[in-house]
Amino acid sequence: MTTPSLTAPEAFATLADCRAAARALPLADKVRLLTGRSMWHLHALPGIGLRPVTFSDGPVGVRGLGEVEGATSILFPTPSAVAATWDVALAFEVGQAFGREARDHGVDVVLAPQVNLQRTPVGGRHFECFSEDPFLTSAIGVSVASGIQDQGVGACMKHYLANDSETERTTYVSRVGMQALREVYLAPFEDAVRAGVWSVMAAYNGADDGIEAAPMTEHRHLVVDILKDELGFDGVVVSDWEATRTATAAANGGLDLVMPGPGGPWAERLLAAVEAGRVSEREIDDKVARLLLLAHRVGALGAEPAPVTHAADLRALVRRAAASSMVVLRREGVAPWDRPAPTTIALIGANAARPHVLGGGSSTVHPAHVATPAEGLAVRWPDARIVLERGGDPRAFAPRLDVAARGAATLVQRDDAGIELSRTDASSWAGWDKDLHPHARSAELRIRVRLDEPGVHRLSVGTVGAHRIVIDGVEASASEAAVGVDCVLDSSVNNPAGIEVDVAVAEAREIEILATLGVIDAGGYGRFVRAEPRHALPGPTADQEIEAAVEAARAADLAVVVVGTNEESESEGWDRTTLALPGRQDELVARVLDVAPDAVIVINAGAPVLLPWLDRARTVIWAWFPGQEAGHALADVLAGAVEPAGRLPWTLPASADDVPVPHAVPDAGSLSYDDGVHVGYRGWERSGATPAAPFGHGLGWTGWRYDDVAAAPAPDGGVEVDVAVTNTGDREGREVIQVYVEAPAGAHERPVRWLGGFVAVHARPGETVRARVPVARRRLEVWDAEAASWALPNGEYRLRVGRSVRDLRLDTAVRLEAPEPVRRDG
Ligand code: BGC
């Protein structure tokens, strides 16, 4: 067979065209295309004009291909923050900005957005997801994806499916009934396919949907029958990185592309499976056709990439998105922006000193600069004196040792027999060496550190895998347990543990740290050694720091306390074990409120944390992981320049005991989704427990009255709800009008109430505005598992309108009778 030369763009315009093109290719070429060429690149096929398609993470920005030394990316607010805006236009613009960043970094497909559900607040990737509600997840997620693709770049919707927690993340099997799958977990993917998404990522976990139990990379029922055949997905199903384990089962299960490569479970094994007739060549052609269509869509085959049109200032977009996503949890007394300009500001908290701007794991991007709160407040109030007090360090690990500033280091690489292969200066050590000699099996990192300051220095080296760490002659830790790709997948390599050694210094002296490290072979993630030297200087105790913070708050005319999570708590790779704020932050807030009751408390976290002092604080703002413009966005909000108009996309618990799904620890490898359709706030509505703040809550900087409501059937079989609201405050504001549906009693299991639609309005003080909130038919329907189809039971649907799921102000109902719905206003 000769390689065809199909370079005309029309040759790849549809999946059918691409199938024809694929059929004409030699089998070996086709199979080669179905595994990546590297971590982020696919193979080229110059004969048909195919250049390598490139992928890059991920949901908080576009990291790039790691090919340009020191390359930086724009760091956006965390996805939950974008969802908290309840602003689909902003989400679309964020998507466009991702598309533009992708093109700037040579990326064709962005591994985002993540539309898994925030099923449990302890979920490690909670911050990377949008919401605990499927409709809000879908509305925001599909807008982000559409924005990316609007710029000619592919979006990759992930992770398909029921990938909502991290414990045993590569092996657990989610046992989910078909009704919950359809109404909750599949819903965002269904909408994304309808909107034309170009790729979907098959998750690490398995799923048991009652029809088939298989890893998601092999799940023919969910991938082929539902995603491709029923929903009509014409894009590429790519495996999560290193997720695929089989050739025949995965190829027949509907997976199209194995990442990363080269090598892996397909390659020769897949070729052999086709030759032996275990996988049909038709399956292969379909996969290749999907790849060719994706390549065509991103401009890697037959046509040039579509021009990027988004031209707005990206830093300004990040700042605006961050500020407007912040949620006012409490607002009593005089708002910070309504007070006289401060002359002294006490800026308190570990996250004030070092804001946490993104969660850990594969979504990490490297911004050129992060604006700290101190920087933001100083620009906003240039005449004010800013006193920064950390108030204790909630992090268990000391800061990274700056090797070059305190001494020097060398790295010696050795082979299996211990023979020295190389000896290099490692004084600019940044925690890793990923560029090892091909025969290196171990390495010795020898660091000389000058300790000038009298007192007790705390030193450690964080590492994973086989190692021996000796600090100033003391063996801190040793292990012979080797690790492989698992240390990347569970994220332990990103923030590695290390045992501390206290070194008492009376007079300045030099000590040595010796780290003997086994080389880690992490498959597609490469070979490396990892050592994170850490160093805490002698200094004040936590008690002394808290005391100093309290005194600063007492003396200042504006106290701002920023508390939150950090890289040790929120990350891909593990679920949290507690909802409490790390360290002594609760005590810090309580003590500051004792002396400064008007202190503004800011929470810098992605996922819910318990706030035991919440009722005592007058101004409380949830600020998310705000991205690189963190400090400026916070200053905009405090000064009243931007309304923090966010609304919680999840429920904030008052007590961990009330959380409907308090953990996600699999039982014998299986994770039972027995909460069914009662996910998130729906579980709270069912139990009746009172959260600290309900789903949809957010006070903004003004007040609202709900005036009247009327509802009518809509042409699509759904309903339209007309609502009038009035801004009762004295500044312009934005309100998110939320419509919750209650179904008529019937045979089906239904949530007590659920979000059916929402619309945001703006109004000046005293102004009344009307809005029409569509509730699409699918949002009213139920999945009838017995009939295996959607149903819209007859009866009266109550529509409750308000400011959150627990602040429902207006009520109406519509009677829906097949075939013609009949109108009845309330
Ligand atoms: C994550 C994906 C990510 C991929 C590539 C995986 O471990 O689950 O979300 O896109 O790595 O970095």
Side-chain angles (χ1 to χ4, degrees):
M1 206 182 284
T2 54
T3 306
S5 181
L6 295 168
T7 45
E10 321 76 73
F12 308 103
T14 66
L15 194 53
D17 298 330
C18 290
R19 282 202 181 104
R23 275 196 294 274
L25 295 172
L27 180 62
D29 281 358
K30 290 192 277 201
V31 170
R32 194 178 59 251
L33 287 179
L34 301 181
T35 294
R37 187 193 83 196
S38 68
M39 186 71 180
W40 307 115
H41 296 82
L42 303 190
H43 284 284
L45 199 56
I48 60 166
L50 174 67
R51 68 159 171 82
V53 170
T54 54
F55 291 78
S56 170
D57 284 309
V60 302
V62 182
R63 192 170 57 244
L65 305 170
E67 286 169 346
V68 181
E69 182 83 0
T72 60
S73 308
I74 298 284
L75 170 59
F76 291 80
T78 197
S80 313
V82 177
T85 65
W86 299 56
D87 186 340
V88 289
L90 181 78
F92 183 79
E93 197 182 346
V94 166
Q96 287 180 312
F98 274 38
R100 177 172 143 199
E101 276 282 276
R103 282 279 177 246
D104 282 356
H105 289 79
V107 169
D108 297 308
V109 181
V110 184
L111 302 174
Q114 177 164 342
V115 291
N116 297 118
L117 271 279
Q118 292 165 338
R119 179 169 172 259
T120 168
V122 301
R125 301 184 83 170
H126 194 285
F127 70 92
E128 258 187 87
C129 303
F130 293 114
S131 170
E132 65 187 20
D133 178 78
F135 173 44
L136 184 57
T137 297
S138 168
I140 299 294
V142 172
S143 300
V144 169
S146 303
I148 294 173
Q149 295 192 173
D150 176 69
Q151 300 298 298
V153 169
C156 182
M157 225 68 175
K158 65 189 190 185
H159 307 85
Y160 191 77
L161 193 63
N163 178 245
D164 309 294
S165 51
E166 293 294 277
T167 307
E168 300 177 22
R169 69 186 291 229
T170 58
T171 54
Y172 68 78
V173 176
S174 302
R175 248 186 314 117
V176 204
M178 200 40 90
Q179 186 189 351
L181 268 181
R182 292 283 186 163
E183 293 179 23
V184 180
Y185 300 99
L186 247 166
F189 289 96
E190 177 182 344
D191 291 343
V193 170
R194 206 161 279 135
V197 73
W198 297 343
S199 65
V200 163
M201 185 184 287
Y204 287 120
N205 58 287
D208 179 351
D209 62 3
I211 293 174
E212 183 178 340
M216 282 313 308
T217 48
E218 302 173 9
H219 209 296
R220 191 164 175 94
H221 181 240
L222 289 173
V223 176
V224 177
D225 299 348
I226 294 184
L227 185 70
K228 291 182 175 177
D229 290 352
E230 182 192 318
L231 302 180
F233 177 60
D234 65 2
V236 170
V237 178
V238 52
S239 72
D240 201 341
W241 267 229
E242 300 279 348
T244 318
R245 289 177 215 124
T246 61
T248 304
N252 288 332
L255 186 72
D256 299 314
L257 174 65
V258 167
M259 285 299 280
W266 279 13
E268 302 80 32
R269 277 162 70 194
L270 182 56
L271 193 58
V274 178
E275 282 163 357
R278 291 192 299 275
V279 175
S280 75
E281 193 157 351
R282 240 177 120 226
E283 290 277 5
I284 302 294
D285 290 343
D286 180 64
K287 298 176 198 312
V288 172
R290 287 165 184 276
L291 265 187
L292 297 183
L293 183 58
L294 175 66
H296 176 71
R297 286 168 161 166
V298 300
L301 172 63
E304 288 299 304
V308 166
T309 56
H310 184 266
D313 175 344
L314 292 186
R315 287 187 55 195
L317 170 63
V318 169
R319 179 170 174 167
R320 171 162 57 90
S324 52
S325 74
M326 292 185 192
V327 178
V328 181
L329 293 181
R330 278 180 68 81
R331 202 189 70 214
E332 270 178 19
V334 187
W337 46 269
D338 226 3
R339 305 179 200 168
T343 52
T344 311
I345 303 174
L347 183 55
I348 293 166
N351 289 42
R354 181 151 76 91
H356 195 45
V357 285
L358 82 172
S362 62
S363 61
T364 302
V365 302
H366 306 287
H369 178 70
V370 170
T372 62
E375 205 178 315
L377 298 189
V379 172
R380 180 59 70 178
W381 287 291
D383 299 330
R385 194 168 73 87
I386 298 176
V387 180
L388 181 60
E389 289 291 347
R390 182 168 68 167
D393 185 358
R395 291 170 168 89
F397 297 148
R400 177 187 276 189
L401 167 71
D402 185 345
V403 176
R406 288 203 169 247
T410 51
L411 185 78
V412 175
Q413 298 183 37
R414 296 186 188 279
D415 70 7
D416 251 349
I419 309 284
E420 182 172 323
L421 298 168
S422 73
R423 178 176 292 261
T424 46
D425 179 54
S427 301
S428 57
W429 183 253
W432 306 75
D433 193 329
K434 296 180 175 173
D435 190 19
L436 297 175
H437 188 285
H439 297 130
R441 291 290 171 275
S442 68
E444 283 157 21
L445 177 68
R446 203 175 282 272
I447 309 174
R448 285 181 286 111
V449 188
R450 228 181 31 254
L451 301 179
D452 296 329
E453 305 79 357
V456 177
H457 294 246
R458 286 160 40 218
L459 289 133
S460 65
V461 178
T463 189
V464 289
H467 69 270
R468 179 163 183 263
I469 308 293
V470 179
I471 298 172
D472 195 26
V474 176
E475 182 179 279
S477 66
S479 167
E480 291 187 358
V483 296
V485 69
D486 43 306
C487 73
V488 178
L489 300 183
D490 67 14
S491 284
S492 55
V493 78
N494 295 327
N495 201 34
I499 295 176
E500 273 185 1
V501 170
D502 286 348
V503 179
V505 172
E507 269 175 38
R509 68 184 174 100
E510 189 176 272
I511 64 149
E512 185 185 81
I513 298 176
L514 174 60
T516 309
L517 309 161
V519 169
I520 296 167
D521 186 344
Y525 289 90
R527 295 169 72 250
F528 53 80
V529 286
R530 175 77 171 109
E532 184 78 2
R534 300 188 177 107
H535 176 206
L537 284 165
T541 62
D543 282 333
Q544 288 166 333
E545 286 197 21
I546 291 174
E547 203 53 52
V550 171
E551 286 319 308
R554 196 199 305 271
D557 40 25
L558 173 63
V560 178
V561 188
V562 187
V563 291
T565 56
N566 54 50
E567 65 279 9
E568 295 172 7
S569 38
E570 279 195 75
S571 174
E572 174 179 346
W574 66 80
D575 296 323
R576 283 184 297 162
T577 51
T578 171
L579 292 177
L581 279 169
R584 293 169 63 180
Q585 296 183 89
D586 287 329
E587 180 190 341
L588 173 69
V589 176
R591 300 247 339 247
V592 167
L593 288 173
D594 287 346
V595 300
D598 275 320
V600 176
I601 316 297
V602 178
I603 297 112
N604 171 206
V609 286
L610 301 175
L611 308 176
W613 36 261
L614 184 63
D615 291 349
R616 292 184 53 207
R618 294 183 181 148
T619 310
V620 181
I621 298 169
W622 194 283
W624 307 107
F625 297 149
Q628 67 175 64
E629 304 302 318
H632 294 309
L634 179 61
D636 289 347
V637 160
L638 296 180
V642 179
E643 185 187 21
R647 304 288 186 263
L648 289 179
W650 42 250
T651 310
L652 182 68
S655 157
D657 295 339
D658 298 334
V659 171
V661 183
H663 67 78
V665 180
D667 183 5
S670 168
L671 202 54
S672 171
Y673 279 46
D674 43 22
D675 44 327
V677 295
H678 307 282
V679 181
Y681 67 88
R682 300 163 172 209
W684 289 84
E685 294 308 283
R686 186 164 65 152
S687 74
T690 304
F695 176 82
H697 174 76
L699 299 170
W701 280 157
T702 185
W704 297 88
R705 189 181 65 228
Y706 276 63
D707 298 323
D708 57 69
V709 64
D716 74 340
V719 295
E720 276 173 3
V721 186
D722 259 315
V723 186
V725 295
T726 301
N727 180 347
T728 55
D730 51 14
R731 54 174 288 159
E732 189 180 341
R734 175 179 183 271
E735 173 68 335
V736 179
I737 299 171
Q738 303 162 36
V739 174
Y740 293 88
V741 182
E742 293 174 16
H748 298 103
E749 176 82 10
R750 307 224 75 176
V752 176
R753 61 187 62 86
W754 68 92
L755 183 70
F758 65 89
V759 149
V761 295
H762 291 261
R764 294 186 299 280
E767 190 187 3
T768 300
V769 289
R770 302 202 74 86
R772 177 159 297 183
V773 189
V775 179
R777 180 185 167 109
R778 180 49 55 81
R779 306 292 162 216
L780 301 170
E781 288 177 329
V782 63
W783 179 259
D784 186 328
E786 248 164 62
S789 66
W790 291 102
L792 183 58
N794 288 345
E796 190 171 89
Y797 287 77
R798 198 168 165 205
L799 302 156
R800 306 190 61 184
V801 183
R803 308 203 64 195
S804 80
V805 71
R806 288 283 168 101
D807 186 1
L808 300 169
R809 305 280 182 94
L810 298 170
D811 212 328
T812 186
V814 167
R815 209 173 169 78
L816 299 177
E817 305 275 5
E820 278 297 312
V822 177
R823 175 186 170 137
R824 210 206 81 177
D825 288 343

